[in-house]
C-alpha cells in the first residue's frame, strides 16, 4: 500500500505539472491581458513586472500583440506577426514565462494577482472556506437523500415505490443548477421570505446554494445505490445469510449494504471534487464569496496568476480525493489489493 501511495503521489506531480503547462499556454492565447484592462496608466511597468514581454515557452513564435505606445517590445513590428517557431538557447530558458512561473511554484507560492494587490494564496485562502463548506453541505444533502432513496428503491425492484423514486431521481438529474437556483430563490426568498436571495452573512444563507448544488448528486447517488443493491442482493452470501434465519434488516444492513455502497464510494471522490469545482455557477447565482466566483472574475479580467492558481487548487483536490477513494476501496472490499 505504501508503494502504491508513493507511486500515485509521484504520478500526481506529473499530472498537475501537465495541467499547469496546458493552462499556461491556453491563458496566454486569450485576447487582451490584465495590464491593458486594469492598469492602462502603468501598462508597460505591469508588463515588465509580470514578464509578459518574454516568450511563454522556450519554443515560441512572436506573439500577435497590439502595439502600445511607450512599450518598446510591443512597438516592434516583429511582435505583430506570427513567424516561424524559434528555440531559445538553453541559457535563456529560465527567462521564459513558463520557467518563471514553475520557479514561483517551487518556492511555495502561487504568485501575485495581476489585477489586485493581494497574492493568489491570500485570495484563495479567504475564499476557500466558503467553497469547502458549501461542498460539504451539498455532499451531505446528496448522501442523506440519495442513499436511503436508492436502498428503498433497490429493495422494492419493479414496484410502484421503485418507479416513483427513480422518476424523481431522473427529474433531479435532468434539472441544471442554473435553473434550480433561481426557482428556489423565487419560492423561498421572494415568495416565502425564509432565506436571503444572495450573499453569505450567516449559515442560513448557505442553505439554498447547498440544496441547489446537492440535489443533482442526490439523484445520481440514488441511482448508483439502487444499482449496487440490486447487484448485491442476489449474491450467494446473501442467500446464505437468509437461509441461516437472519432478519431482513440484519441481512441488508450487515451484509448487503457494504457491497451496495461500493459504487457510491467510488463516486464520492470525483463527486466531491465536482461539487467544489462545479460550484462556480451556484456561487455566481447566489453571489457567494467563494473560489468559483474569483475564478470567473479572474478569467474575465485576464488575471493569469489567479486563474492558474485556481486550476492548480482544483486539480490538487481532484487528485487527492481520488487517492483517498482508492484507499477507502480496499477497506470496504478486502478483495481489492494494490500490493505488487
Amino acid at each position: 500500500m505504501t508503494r502504491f501511495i508513493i507511486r500515485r503521489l509521484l504520478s500526481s506531480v506529473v499530472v498537475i505539472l501537465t495541467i499547469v503547462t496546458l493552462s499556461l499556454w491556453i491563458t496566454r492565447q486569450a485576447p487582451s491581458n490584465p495590464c491593458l484592462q486594469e492598469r492602462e496608466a502603468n501598462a508597460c511597468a505591469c508588463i515588465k513586472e509580470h514578464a509578459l514581454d518574454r516568450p511563454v515557452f522556450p519554443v515560441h513564435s512572436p506573439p500577435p500583440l497590439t502595439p502600445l505606445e511607450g512599450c518598446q517590445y510591443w512597438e516592434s513590428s516583429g511582435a505583430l506577426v506570427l513567424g516561424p517557431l524559434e528555440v531559445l538557447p538553453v541559457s535563456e530558458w529560465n527567462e521564459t514565462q513558463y520557467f518563471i512561473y514553475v520557479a514561483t511554484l517551487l518556492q511555495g507560492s502561487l504568485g501575485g494577482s495581476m489585477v489586485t494587490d493581494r497574492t493568489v494564496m491570500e485570495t484563495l485562502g479567504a475564499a476557500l472556506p466558503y467553497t469547502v463548506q458549501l461542498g460539504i453541505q451539498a455532499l451531505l444533502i446528496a448522501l442523506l437523500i440519495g442513499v436511503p432513496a436508492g436502498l428503498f428503491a433497490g429493495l422494492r425492484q419493479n414496484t410502484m415505490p421503485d418507479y416513483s423514486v427513480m422518476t424523481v431521481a431522473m427529474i433531479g438529474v435532468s434539472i441544471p443548477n442554473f435553473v434550480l437556483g433561481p426557482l428556489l430563490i423565487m419560492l423561498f426568498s421572494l415568495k416565502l421570505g425564509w432565506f436571503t436571495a444572495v450573499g453569505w452573512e450567516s449559515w442560513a444563507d448557505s442553505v439554498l446554494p447547498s440544496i441547489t448544488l446537492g440535489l443533482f448528486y442526490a439523484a445520481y447517488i440514488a441511482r448508483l445505490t439502487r444499482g449496487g443493491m440490486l447487484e448485491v442482493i442476489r449474491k450467494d452470501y446473501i442467500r446464505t445469510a437468509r437461509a441461516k434465519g437472519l432478519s431482513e434488516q440484519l441481512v441488508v444492513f450487515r451484509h448487503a449494504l457494504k457491497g451496495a455502497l461500493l459504487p457510491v464510494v467510488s463516486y464520492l471522490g470525483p463527486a466531491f471534487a465536482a461539487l467544489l469545482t462545479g460550484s462556480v455557477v451556484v456561487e455566481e447565482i447566489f453571489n457567494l464569496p467563494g473560489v468559483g466566483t474569483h475564478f470567473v472574475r479572474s478569467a474575465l479580467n485576464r488575471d493569469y496568476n489567479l486563474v492558474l492558481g485556481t486550476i492548480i487548487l482544483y486539480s490538487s483536490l481532484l487528485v487527492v480525493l481520488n487517492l483517498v477513494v482508492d484507499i477507502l476501496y480496499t477497506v470496504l472490499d478486502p478483495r481489492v489489493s494494490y500490493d505488487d
Side-chain angles (χ1 to χ4, degrees):
M1 177 61 77
T2 304
R3 296 178 63 182
F4 167 75
I5 294 175
I6 293 174
R7 283 201 306 269
R8 284 291 298 271
L9 290 177
L10 292 176
S11 64
S12 301
V13 173
V14 177
V15 169
I16 292 176
L17 190 59
T18 303
I19 292 173
V20 168
T21 304
L22 292 174
S23 302
L24 189 75
W25 178 76
I26 292 172
T27 54
R28 296 311 192 265
Q29 305 308 307
S32 188
N33 65 69
C35 295
L36 287 181
Q37 289 200 346
E38 300 295 333
R39 300 181 178 182
E40 292 183 0
N42 300 310
C44 294
C46 175
I47 290 166
K48 293 291 183 184
E49 177 185 355
H50 298 292
L52 297 180
D53 56 344
R54 299 176 185 176
V56 180
F57 297 105
V59 179
H60 73 104
S61 64
L65 299 176
T66 305
L68 185 65
E69 184 179 357
C71 292
Q72 182 178 0
Y73 177 78
W74 285 4
E75 284 179 342
S76 62
S77 58
L80 303 177
V81 181
L82 275 175
L85 290 178
E86 300 175 3
V87 181
L88 291 177
V90 176
S91 59
E92 297 181 11
W93 284 17
N94 60 345
E95 297 179 1
T96 60
Q97 295 183 41
Y98 177 70
F99 277 82
I100 292 173
Y101 188 72
V102 172
T104 303
L105 294 181
L106 293 177
Q107 294 172 3
S109 172
L110 294 174
S113 169
M114 295 181 174
V115 176
T116 68
D117 295 328
R118 305 179 70 185
T119 66
V120 173
M121 295 188 80
E122 287 175 346
T123 304
L124 295 182
L128 188 59
Y130 295 100
T131 299
V132 172
Q133 181 179 338
L134 180 63
I136 292 175
Q137 290 178 185
L139 185 62
L140 289 176
I141 289 173
L143 289 173
L144 290 176
I145 296 176
V147 171
L151 291 177
F152 181 80
L155 295 172
R156 295 165 178 77
Q157 185 185 15
N158 296 333
T159 62
M160 186 55 69
D162 179 23
Y163 296 143
S164 302
V165 171
M166 287 302 102
T167 300
V168 174
M170 183 59 71
I171 294 173
V173 170
S174 305
I175 300 178
N177 50 24
F178 60 82
V179 174
L180 181 61
L183 289 177
L184 292 179
I185 290 176
M186 288 178 59
L187 178 60
F188 293 104
S189 299
L190 302 183
K191 294 289 184 183
L192 301 177
W194 291 357
F195 301 101
T196 304
V198 295
W200 188 323
E201 299 296 333
S202 66
W203 179 85
D205 297 334
S206 66
V207 173
L208 290 185
S210 299
I211 294 174
T212 303
L213 192 58
L215 277 186
F216 170 84
Y217 295 93
Y220 200 80
I221 287 175
R223 294 176 62 83
L224 284 177
T225 307
R226 177 183 180 273
M229 179 57 71
L230 290 178
E231 183 179 347
V232 170
I233 206 68
R234 296 184 176 87
K235 296 285 187 181
D236 290 340
Y237 69 90
I238 297 296
R239 295 194 187 95
T240 303
R242 284 173 171 159
K244 288 181 177 179
L246 295 179
S247 66
E248 189 64 18
Q249 286 185 339
L250 279 178
V251 171
V252 171
F253 290 103
R254 179 177 295 179
H255 299 283
L257 183 60
K258 187 183 289 185
L261 290 180
L262 281 177
V264 178
V265 173
S266 301
Y267 178 64
L268 283 184
F272 187 54
L275 282 168
L276 296 179
T277 58
S279 63
V280 174
V281 175
V282 175
E283 289 179 9
E284 277 294 301
I285 292 174
F286 292 92
N287 194 26
L288 305 181
V291 175
T293 300
H294 287 291
F295 180 67
V296 172
R297 292 174 185 172
S298 63
L300 294 175
N301 293 329
R302 304 293 188 269
D303 192 343
Y304 298 150
N305 284 349
L306 188 51
V307 170
L308 290 172
T310 308
I311 291 173
I312 292 173
L313 175 64
Y314 283 153
S315 304
S316 302
L317 287 173
L318 191 61
V319 168
V320 171
L321 289 173
N322 275 298
L323 177 60
V324 171
V325 168
D326 286 342
I327 295 173
L328 285 178
Y329 213 84
T330 63
V331 176
L332 288 174
D333 189 350
R335 296 171 299 176
V336 178
S337 174
Y338 299 116
D339 295 331
D340 294 332

